[in-house]
Amino acid sequence: MTGGMLDPAHAKARRRDRRVYLGAHPLLFALLAATRGRGVRRLGGTMLVHDADAYREALTRLPLDRTAAGTTGGAARAALGGDGDVLFDQEGTGHRADRRSLAGRLGSAGVEELRSLWRPLPVRWSAPPAGGGEVDVVELAREVAGRVAGALLGSDADPPALARAAARAAATSVRSHLPGPPRPGAAAAAARAAAGLRELAGAGDALSSMVAVAAVNTTVAAVPRAVAWCADAGLWEQAADAELRPRLVAELLRVTAASPVLPRVAAAAGSVGGCPVRGGDRLVLVARHAAGAHRRDPDAGDPAGPEVARLVFGAGPHACPGARLASVLLGDVLEELAPYRPVVTRARVDRRAALPGWRSLMVRAGV
Ligand code: HEM
């Protein structure tokens, strides 16, 4: 398997992974697939941005309205009950100061410290692996993400319960921010979920809550999808190899693009990929296509390279501060599972989550 172009060995992995989009957002997925032939395309007041350079340009050069409804900033603010700034929605000096404080917790020393929360990994086989035992990788991701969220919030709430509350807060807030006719009850459901998270966590300011929500939702989406791909495409040899593993991790995060679409709003006129943009235009920045997830299979022997792979974490001053944490955690999960050469036995799509992902992903030892 070389070259990175679509390879038959990956067809099964790709087919299964597509289910997470088709299960929850079939129309959006079809629209984005149908329009990706052109790097940037205008549909009324909305710009669809697929091209890597245009995507980078939109995130680094174009002034963005970070509090507009229907954007990640607007949804994050709503998810936390609107009390205080939540990073996604910030600009300038305040944003830089909060990013600096986060860099300590999520930089290399901080991640090394957080790592003790999940080592040894709480992998719970339903019976001995050799006797046909199974593991639910979603449950594993939820347990670990809940522990990380608890540490970031200074809360000792039950980790899986915290993770579920963070998932509910994100899902209800995204639903209440979807474009289209107003959904009766959606805002109230989002407010209830936000209050539920705050009550359960019992601690933490708006910033910590936002980081915890981001950590949980991305981890619970990304880790099981990456494990399923690794299993379906037979990549456990690469996962077992300490030298190849970091590249495999970057490649799996690239092709699964856990946050596949970044909804943004232009704050002022400008241009993206040579196309004029007006203030107030909606931008649908397709991280999945910018990173080439749809056309280049993951290959640790011939990776796409950091410039492209990193695009799944955004770009510019708001680029994801949790990228290192996500990569280290996925590497640890792959290392732990690799000796068993797991195969997927059952996978159910989560139709309600904020990010496309599995509701359960059962694997059993393949050796
Ligand atoms: C595979 C896992 C992850 C993916 C794909 C991902 C993706 C993203 C993306 C695309 C953005 C928006 C960047 C932009 O606007 O340019 C973002 C922002 C953010 N992410 Fe992540 N993320 C992941 C994991 C995490 C984790 C584990 C944490 C926390 C520990 C985290 C915390 C954040 C925060 C706080 C922001 C907002 C940053 C800002 O606006 O300044 N993310 N992430």
Side-chain angles (χ1 to χ4, degrees):
M1 179 196 54
T2 54
M5 289 308 288
L6 298 185
D7 186 301
H10 288 275
K12 180 176 171 194
R14 209 168 261 288
R15 216 167 28 246
R16 191 195 301 279
D17 194 61
R18 197 174 293 134
R19 281 179 50 205
V20 302
Y21 298 105
L22 297 177
H25 304 286
L27 293 178
L28 179 63
F29 190 70
L31 171 73
L32 296 181
T35 57
R36 73 184 176 217
R38 226 185 300 149
V40 180
R41 185 187 294 256
R42 175 179 285 285
L43 285 182
T46 299
M47 311 281 292
L48 303 178
V49 180
H50 303 279
D51 172 71
D53 288 334
Y55 170 92
R56 217 179 268 115
E57 191 183 1
L59 287 169
T60 55
R61 305 243 168 105
L62 196 69
L64 297 174
D65 177 350
R66 298 218 166 248
T67 58
T71 66
T72 313
R77 198 171 255 246
L80 299 164
D83 56 347
D85 293 335
V86 290
L87 215 55
F88 277 109
D89 63 350
Q90 286 171 263
E91 297 274 15
T93 339
H95 179 248
R96 276 196 295 276
D98 281 344
R99 288 287 303 216
R100 265 198 303 278
S101 82
L102 250 192
R105 295 160 91 185
L106 298 177
S108 57
V111 167
E112 221 28 67
E113 223 180 295
L114 288 170
R115 217 174 176 190
S116 64
L117 294 169
W118 70 73
R119 293 216 300 189
L121 272 164
V123 180
R124 299 195 185 98
W125 295 95
S126 60
E134 291 184 321
V135 171
D136 183 348
V137 184
V138 175
E139 209 172 86
L140 169 67
R142 204 180 280 129
E143 169 73 42
V144 171
R147 290 184 192 180
V148 170
L152 294 171
L153 284 164
S155 156
D156 56 9
D158 174 53
L162 196 54
R164 283 180 196 282
R168 241 186 333 268
T172 50
S173 127
V174 164
R175 229 169 287 136
S176 75
H177 275 68
L178 286 175
R183 292 166 179 71
R192 267 198 312 279
L197 173 63
R198 269 201 309 274
E199 200 180 305
L200 181 67
D205 51 16
L207 174 64
S208 309
S209 307
M210 205 292 286
V211 178
V213 169
V216 165
N217 284 281
T218 53
T219 303
V220 173
V223 169
R225 285 180 64 197
V227 167
W229 196 303
C230 195
D232 287 338
L235 300 177
W236 293 116
E237 294 289 335
Q238 297 188 352
D241 182 323
E243 218 171 288
L244 288 179
R245 199 183 309 121
R247 279 183 260 160
L248 177 64
V249 163
E251 282 289 274
L252 290 173
L253 290 174
R254 179 179 66 77
V255 289
T256 49
S259 179
V261 172
L262 313 186
R264 299 287 184 268
V265 166
S271 78
V272 167
C275 298
V277 175
R278 299 179 296 246
D281 275 348
R282 292 199 160 273
L283 302 160
V284 176
L285 307 178
V286 190
R288 171 179 158 78
H289 293 159
H294 60 302
R295 67 178 129 76
R296 188 183 165 115
D297 286 329
D299 186 351
D302 180 22
E307 279 305 299
V308 174
R310 226 183 274 134
L311 294 178
V312 294
F313 293 108
H318 284 263
C320 179
R324 179 190 298 270
L325 178 93
S327 305
V328 169
L329 170 59
L330 178 57
D332 285 349
V333 170
L334 295 182
E335 181 182 9
E336 169 77 25
L337 293 176
Y340 302 104
R341 304 291 187 270
V343 293
V344 178
T345 54
R346 261 172 305 148
R348 282 157 72 198
V349 174
D350 191 337
R351 287 172 209 282
R352 299 181 68 79
L355 297 175
W358 300 110
R359 184 143 67 97
S360 68
L361 183 87
M362 307 304 296
V363 300
R364 68 164 168 73
V367 285

